[in-house]
Amino acid sequence: MSVTALRGEGVSSLFDGADPASLSDEVLEGRVLGYAAQITAMTAEFLDHVAELDQRNSWRGPGIHSLGHWLSWRAGLSQRTAQEQIRVARALRELPAVRQMFGEGRLTYSKVRALTRVATPLREKELVNVALSCTASQLERVVRAMRQIDSSAGGDGEQQPVESRGSCKWNFDGTLSVSMRLAPLDGARFLAGVVRAEYERTRTVGDPDLPVSGSVPRNASDDRLETVGAADSEINPANRPDLWRNVPSNLAPAVVAMADAVHEGIGMPELAPGAEILVHAGEGVRPHLDDGPALADGELAEAACGASVREALSKKVSGRPGKRALLGLGRKQRTPSKAMIRALFLRDRCCQTPGCGRTRHLHAHHVVFWSNDGETELDNLILLCGTCHRALHRGGFAIKAHGGQRFTFYMPDGSEIDVSPDTKAPGGWTPDERIAADATVPVGGGKLDIGYATEVIYAVWEWKERQRMATAASAAA
């Protein structure tokens, strides 16, 4: 179809409500491309606003883990999609040329997503020229080739082997600082574990990449549960989309998930100092971790909620204020039972906080706290992920049980939290007349020679770097 034919219809005619079945082939093709250009420009505006929202942190609220979680809850996106769009939105802040072409509808989101993996302010001009003249698939191939070139462009000198080392210390504010320096292979193992832990931690109901369809999640107080059953085609790794390629920018939640997995999966003898999480609490004792910092009331409630509890028996030592003598340890109390945990998972399947939906590392929470004589029954139990559980005990939101296994979530001010807010287009929107109907159509196109393309691009970048260094040297002279 010719460019002239594409421009034959005005932008306003794209939205005249005509039945697609009534359009000629030429007009139908033109409208599809016109809509693609409008969608591209709108996506650019959307990500621009997402970046501003990210910078302001105004999305923060009760039980909201991240901006990706907020977008999933309020905008109806999957958290995988939201996380990738946030990454692109952040990268575009430093790439004005890519951002401009994106806003004009000339670079589609697929192309921009690929470019942001390798683009820098010094590189983006040449990359934009390449992107404008090739398809999204061809650009992905160029980007993969560039990442391989960049990763192999290090020095050739031999390095002394590095031994992995790590240390930790409790800070005065009660936080724990961990410092590690890992050898290359150990570092790769660590990051691979982080990615897997983040995958497990943020898995949500309905994800197309669930390893086993219909599986029942696992809880710390239950054995691994059997799967409901799935077809071989559903559990074949070759049939699952590859959606996880990046290490999370914030490693802490994934590292905590890794620690939880090890804590649950490795058996220990009764006497194993440091292997249990010991909290000292009781009358006349300020709650604190064993040989660690003090705990706030919310943290203490979180630790005790549905956990295994062992009472430490002690008595005051006369003549020594604040000193207590340890008499012994009581038996562990496990709540709830395995059968009840199984029933709870079959009922809830995921974290029940509105907009969350995580299916891994879930806690069985007593809506009426166990410490307040809350009963261990399904009418008083609900599944929460670790992040939401912590937010609840810190007062971020509240839950009310209505009987019959029905629950409602409330904001701190008492207003009810919508389970699924309505999503609708804003009123008064009109299409952007500045966006050409053929904006997304590649200029030139044709067969791609990756070797030649990368050779030319890197030659230009090397020349630009020499010019920059020469300019810097003359200025310093």
Side-chain angles (χ1 to χ4, degrees):
M1 188 174 186
S2 67
V3 173
T4 303
L6 286 176
R7 292 175 176 170
E9 285 193 306
V11 171
S12 59
S13 64
L14 294 174
F15 300 89
D16 58 8
D19 183 356
S22 68
L23 304 176
S24 66
D25 291 348
E26 187 176 51
V27 173
L28 181 62
E29 292 176 15
R31 288 199 175 193
V32 167
L33 294 177
Y35 290 137
Q38 290 290 324
I39 290 171
T40 295
M42 288 291 291
T43 304
E45 290 285 344
F46 168 71
L47 294 185
D48 197 20
H49 285 70
V50 167
E52 181 63 25
L53 189 63
D54 178 51
Q55 193 170 46
R56 293 188 187 184
N57 279 332
S58 59
W59 50 266
R60 294 188 180 277
I64 303 299
H65 316 143
S66 63
L67 177 55
H69 178 196
W70 186 90
L71 286 171
S72 175
W73 174 42
R74 298 302 301 272
L77 304 176
S78 74
Q79 290 201 35
R80 305 290 191 273
T81 300
Q83 288 166 354
E84 182 68 1
Q85 289 181 342
I86 292 167
R87 179 193 70 80
V88 174
R90 289 170 177 168
L92 286 174
R93 286 274 173 142
E94 307 297 326
L95 303 170
V98 176
R99 190 176 173 187
Q100 179 183 349
M101 293 294 102
F102 191 19
E104 293 178 2
R106 300 179 63 189
L107 289 180
T108 63
Y109 173 72
S110 296
K111 291 184 177 181
V112 170
R113 182 178 58 187
L115 288 178
T116 52
R117 299 189 186 117
V118 294
T120 66
L122 294 177
R123 287 181 164 189
E124 64 168 338
K125 181 179 179 181
E126 290 75 25
L127 288 173
V128 165
N129 290 336
V130 172
L132 290 173
S133 60
C134 65
T135 65
S137 177
Q138 289 173 332
L139 184 61
E140 286 279 1
R141 293 170 57 197
V142 171
V143 167
R144 283 197 296 269
M146 290 180 60
R147 295 182 77 175
Q148 292 176 353
I149 294 172
D150 290 342
S151 64
S152 61
D156 296 330
E158 293 187 3
Q159 296 182 348
Q160 295 296 324
V162 178
E163 294 294 332
S164 296
R165 299 180 61 85
S167 61
C168 66
K169 68 174 182 177
W170 289 107
N171 301 314
F172 292 116
D173 62 356
T175 58
L176 180 70
S177 292
V178 178
S179 176
M180 293 192 301
R181 185 166 184 255
L182 302 179
L185 187 55
D186 289 347
R189 289 170 176 158
F190 174 77
L191 292 180
V194 166
V195 171
R196 287 173 178 266
E198 184 73 355
Y199 174 86
E200 285 258 306
R201 187 184 72 86
T202 60
R203 187 182 299 172
T204 56
V205 170
D207 283 345
D209 58 333
L210 284 173
V212 180
S213 176
S215 63
V216 181
R218 183 185 179 190
N219 181 269
S221 57
D222 194 11
D223 295 329
R224 181 166 298 279
L225 304 179
E226 66 271 22
T227 61
V228 176
D232 292 340
S233 60
E234 292 179 319
I235 63 176
N236 184 356
N239 295 332
R240 298 202 305 268
D242 178 14
L243 299 179
W244 279 86
R245 299 178 181 176
N246 298 313
V247 176
S249 57
N250 180 15
L251 300 179
V255 171
V256 172
M258 290 169 62
D260 284 342
V262 172
H263 187 269
E264 296 170 12
I266 298 180
M268 295 294 292
E270 277 295 311
L271 182 59
E276 281 190 313
I277 302 172
L278 300 181
V279 179
H280 294 260
E283 184 180 355
V285 178
R286 185 181 181 186
H288 63 279
L289 292 171
D290 186 53
D291 197 25
L295 296 178
D297 291 341
E299 293 172 320
L300 180 63
E302 178 192 348
C305 186
S308 298
V309 178
R310 191 196 299 271
E311 182 181 3
L313 308 177
S314 63
K315 69 175 183 178
K316 294 182 179 179
V317 178
S318 60
R320 301 181 65 182
K323 184 67 175 178
R324 302 182 69 89
L326 182 65
L327 300 179
L329 294 177
R331 298 183 65 185
K332 283 186 178 181
Q333 303 170 5
R334 291 184 63 87
T335 56
S337 68
K338 290 184 178 181
M340 192 166 290
I341 286 289
R342 188 181 301 272
L344 183 61
F345 273 123
L346 289 175
R347 184 195 74 186
D348 288 353
R349 299 281 181 171
C350 64
C351 175
Q352 295 299 290
T353 305
C356 181
R358 290 179 176 175
T359 59
R360 292 295 180 182
H361 304 289
L362 304 177
H363 302 171
H365 169 68
H366 288 74
V367 177
V368 178
F369 292 172
W370 174 260
S371 58
N372 294 338
D373 298 326
E375 296 183 355
T376 304
E377 58 182 22
L378 292 178
D379 279 352
N380 191 47
L381 291 174
I382 192 170
L383 287 185
L384 299 177
C385 70
T387 304
C388 291
H389 198 188
R390 184 171 301 111
L392 181 141
H393 282 291
R394 291 179 178 178
F397 61 94
I399 308 175
K400 182 178 180 180
H402 302 285
Q405 302 183 33
R406 295 182 299 109
F407 306 93
T408 306
F409 288 73
Y410 294 92
M411 300 283 282
D413 61 5
S415 60
E416 185 175 342
I417 301 176
D418 290 335
V419 175
S420 181
D422 292 335
T423 57
K424 58 182 180 181
W429 177 83
T430 57
D432 193 340
E433 297 280 352
R434 298 170 298 175
I435 306 302
D438 62 338
T440 60
V441 179
V443 179
K447 186 177 179 179
L448 173 68
D449 187 336
I450 293 182
Y452 175 75
T454 54
E455 181 180 353
V456 171
I457 292 173
Y458 276 90
V460 172
W461 289 341
E462 290 175 3
W463 177 83
K464 290 174 68 174
E465 180 64 16
R466 290 195 299 270
Q467 293 294 108
R468 187 189 65 81
M469 294 180 63
T471 301
S474 62

